[in-house]
Amino acid sequence: MKSSFGHRLLALTALGVWVAFAAPAAADTADEIRALKARLNKLEAQEAEARRAAKAAAAQAAAAAAHPAPVVIAGAPPAPKHWYEKISIRGYTQMRYNDILSAHNFNDAYAYGDRSVGPRQNFFLRRIRLIFSGDISDHLYLYLQPDFASSPSGTFSSSPSSVVSGVPYYGYYNYQVGTYNLNAGNFAQLRDAYADISVDDKKEFRFRVGQSKIPYGFTNMQSSQNRLTLDRPDGLNTCCKDERDLGIFFYYTPEHMRHLFRDLVKNNLKGSGDYGMFAFGVYNGQGANRVELNKGVHLVTRFTYPYVFENGQVVEASIQGYTGRFVPATSAIIPSLGMATNWAGYRPNQYPWNASPFTGAVAPFVNAPGYNNPGNFNTTYYPTPLAGVWNPSCVNGCVGVKDERVAVTGIIYPQPFGVFAEWNWGRGPVLDPYQLVVKDGKLNGGYVIVTYKYDDKEFGLGTFFPYVQWQQYRGGAKTEVNAPYNRVNELEVGVEWQPLPEVEFTAAYAHMNRTNLALAPYRQWQGDLLRMQLQWNY
């Protein structure tokens, strides 16, 4: 490099001598000298830059020698990802506002699926979900979903103020006032935690192990993120607390059906997702995040078949059922008549059990194997109070009350007109009319939803789903304390608006006629309710 620079310098010097002696005398010698100096400075700068580049290249070569890059062979597969690199994160949040427009008995306002329905309640965070999921390998899929909007029970209670003397029939319960506490809300609680283990490459046969949704009822399996109505109907939802339980479920879905179930959700048609064309499961039966209380398990099975017409319309028909025994929870109440009516709390003078110990609060007796029931000969107060001690305790390893249902489903997916309908029948735990005994009793109920999907392409306002829902239920609410009888007849009209894929707004008006399951004597209430919900997806 130095030799090259010297040659250039010698050439420039020779040129300068020639210019000085051979050029015409009139030439401006001073200008020529300045030009030569400028060229010399430029060459020196280029030489310095070349030396810096050489030094940097040497440093890079040394670093590469110390940390050699992996050899990449043409056509070789990419390096495998770590399991945590295959996990995706998504979620959604729902905020509601409820307003009771009118009510026959305001303090008894209650809805089984929405804790925010009640006196003096306004804004409410219904769900805050984060979902972690991904295919860890070709045969293992993980799914984890916590909810950060869970709240403990007892935030509001309608406690009786006093017994009005001279009114023995309604005295204790007909005169109530609200009492309040400072219970906090919005705790984190597990919703789903399961693994899908596929036994074949196409993932047509798989086992779902952990806490997950029970394959019973289309509305129960449908995600709250995609569901049209704000709450699931009582008729189907009373089967399973939080729609989930801990167990093992087997799913079979042909490959083309897997794609169809996925597209029904992806194309905004209110699908339920892939819970198998055929499903069979074994699970605890007490509900999600709850301790198992008997040695028996619940069994569930389901068969569904979606059919695609030539014009693209999709219809789906399903049948499902489960069986098992459920251990209900009980607490002390004052027995009375009129449950699930407007005159609940009635205690006539000739009331059959209007004697000790039934003059005060008593826990209902559970008529099922393993309790102090007549089969064990340990009680004399049931079925007729004669003498002895009322003891409703579980003393012989409780088996629980019979709990079984069967349901049918019919779906016409909204393209653009849609119908969702389900009905189920069965037996389950229910408090008897005297509010003294929890036993198995008949139940039935279901719903019909009619909707229309409208995509506004002219003004770009988004997608609208106006809908009408009617639901009815008659039977026990097994997951509530004392399994009170629940009588529901409700009509709801609403619209879901999706201005953006990540934002949804729902407004619904409901004329409700349902039972207050939160507080004995379980009065019926009628009212008109306006609800609004904003949901954002992420």
Side-chain angles (χ1 to χ4, degrees):
M1 188 66 68
K2 292 182 178 179
S3 176
S4 174
F5 176 75
H7 291 164
R8 286 195 293 269
L9 182 62
L10 181 61
L12 288 173
T13 303
L15 178 62
V17 172
W18 180 85
V19 168
F21 292 98
D28 191 346
T29 305
D31 292 341
E32 294 293 340
I33 293 173
R34 282 194 296 271
L36 289 172
K37 287 182 178 180
R39 293 178 183 177
L40 180 61
N41 292 336
K42 183 177 180 180
L43 288 172
E44 289 177 345
Q46 291 176 348
E47 185 70 16
E49 180 64 26
R51 286 196 296 268
R52 284 194 296 269
K55 186 176 180 179
Q60 291 179 356
H67 304 283
V71 177
V72 179
I73 302 175
K81 293 183 178 180
H82 297 289
W83 68 269
Y84 50 82
E85 297 177 298
K86 302 177 182 180
I87 298 295
S88 64
I89 304 176
R90 60 183 178 88
Y92 64 98
T93 298
Q94 295 173 342
M95 189 175 76
R96 291 186 183 177
Y97 177 83
N98 293 338
D99 187 9
I100 301 176
L101 303 178
S102 64
H104 177 263
N105 32 6
F106 191 84
N107 279 336
D108 284 314
Y110 172 88
Y112 177 78
D114 189 350
R115 296 185 306 275
S116 66
V117 175
R120 294 164 288 277
Q121 298 208 41
N122 297 308
F123 291 108
F124 182 77
L125 284 172
R126 181 63 180 91
R127 294 177 179 89
I128 306 174
R129 301 285 177 86
L130 279 180
I131 302 167
F132 305 84
S133 62
D135 286 299
I136 304 304
S137 70
D138 292 337
H139 295 276
L140 179 63
Y141 171 83
L142 296 184
Y143 190 96
L144 177 66
Q145 179 180 208
D147 182 17
F148 296 91
S150 297
S151 300
S153 61
T155 303
F156 175 83
S157 62
S158 296
S159 299
S161 59
S162 62
V163 177
V164 178
S165 59
V167 188
Y169 305 125
Y170 291 89
Y172 193 77
Y173 283 106
N174 245 24
Y175 299 84
Q176 332 179 355
V177 295
T179 61
Y180 306 87
N181 55 42
L182 298 177
N183 284 352
N186 298 331
F187 288 94
Q189 188 180 66
L190 184 66
R191 282 295 177 264
D192 296 280
Y194 64 80
D196 275 357
I197 304 173
S198 304
V199 299
D200 65 315
D201 294 336
K202 293 183 178 180
K203 301 180 181 180
E204 294 183 339
F205 301 87
R206 69 188 192 276
F207 290 90
R208 180 164 293 179
V209 183
Q211 180 167 294
S212 65
K213 286 188 175 181
I214 301 167
Y216 180 86
F218 179 91
T219 184
N220 290 332
M221 295 181 295
Q222 194 179 29
S223 171
S224 299
Q225 185 179 15
N226 302 324
R227 193 180 62 252
L228 188 59
T229 56
L230 296 183
D231 299 314
R232 295 179 173 90
D234 295 50
L236 275 295
N237 198 227
T238 47
C239 82
C240 325
K241 185 67 174 179
D242 295 322
E243 305 87 48
R244 298 164 171 86
D245 212 322
L246 187 62
I248 302 175
F249 303 93
F250 168 77
Y251 293 111
Y252 165 67
T253 315
E255 186 176 17
H256 67 284
M257 289 288 188
R258 292 183 62 241
H259 297 306
L260 176 59
F261 286 133
R262 178 200 61 196
D263 292 342
L264 289 172
V265 176
K266 183 179 179 180
N267 296 333
N268 197 18
L269 298 180
K270 304 300 180 182
S272 65
D274 182 6
Y275 287 87
M277 190 175 76
F278 171 77
F280 176 80
V282 181
Y283 61 100
N284 280 342
Q286 287 299 128
N289 303 313
R290 284 162 177 80
V291 177
E292 173 69 337
L293 297 177
N294 61 16
K295 294 182 179 180
V297 295
H298 275 56
L299 303 177
V300 63
T301 188
R302 179 175 184 262
F303 177 79
T304 187
Y305 191 82
Y307 182 80
V308 183
F309 288 91
E310 292 183 358
N311 63 357
Q313 181 61 272
V314 183
V315 299
E316 183 175 350
S318 317
I319 185 170
Q320 54 257 291
Y322 74 82
T323 183
R325 285 186 171 271
F326 183 86
V327 180
T330 58
S331 66
I333 59 174
I334 294 182
S336 64
L337 301 178
M339 179 173 49
T341 68
N342 292 330
W343 50 278
Y346 180 62
R347 287 177 60 86
N349 287 329
Q350 67 274 21
Y351 192 53
W353 287 283
N354 199 11
S356 178
F358 305 114
T359 54
V362 60
F365 167 81
V366 179
N367 186 11
Y371 291 82
N372 269 346
N373 60 26
N376 294 327
F377 304 105
N378 291 326
T379 183
T380 56
Y381 269 109
Y382 178 82
T384 304
L386 298 175
V389 178
W390 176 266
N391 188 349
S393 300
C394 174
V395 296
N396 296 328
C398 300
V399 175
V401 181
K402 181 184 295 184
D403 180 28
E404 55 189 22
R405 299 190 185 195
V406 62
V408 293
T409 304
I411 308 293
I412 302 175
Y413 286 96
Q415 298 187 99
F417 178 78
V419 178
F420 301 81
E422 294 189 275
W423 205 269
N424 70 168
W425 304 262
R427 301 188 70 87
V430 61
L431 188 62
D432 81 317
Y434 293 101
Q435 299 188 12
L436 285 173
V437 180
V438 177
K439 58 182 181 179
D440 77 274
K442 294 181 179 181
L443 61 87
N444 78 89
Y447 69 95
V448 178
I449 299 174
V450 178
T451 185
Y452 187 89
K453 182 184 179 186
Y454 174 68
D455 294 308
D456 180 39
K457 299 179 180 179
E458 183 176 358
F459 300 101
L461 297 179
T463 301
F464 295 84
F465 283 94
Y467 70 88
V468 177
Q469 174 185 259
W470 171 78
Q471 65 161 310
Q472 179 177 291
Y473 180 63
R474 301 288 187 272
K478 69 179 184 183
T479 60
E480 300 299 310
V481 176
N482 298 324
Y485 185 79
N486 186 20
R487 183 165 61 91
V488 178
N489 195 326
E490 182 176 302
L491 181 66
E492 180 176 318
V493 179
V495 60
E496 178 186 289
W497 176 35
Q498 302 172 358
L500 300 169
E502 59 272 17
V503 177
E504 298 178 11
F505 176 77
T506 302
Y509 161 80
H511 179 69
M512 293 185 168
N513 185 350
R514 55 172 57 244
T515 308
N516 181 354
L517 304 175
L519 180 70
Y522 311 114
R523 293 171 59 85
Q524 197 73 5
W525 81 280
Q526 297 86 26
D528 299 294
L529 181 68
L530 175 64
R531 295 191 290 174
M532 291 176 284
Q533 174 178 284
L534 182 66
Q535 172 180 307
W536 53 97
N537 309 310
Y538 36 89

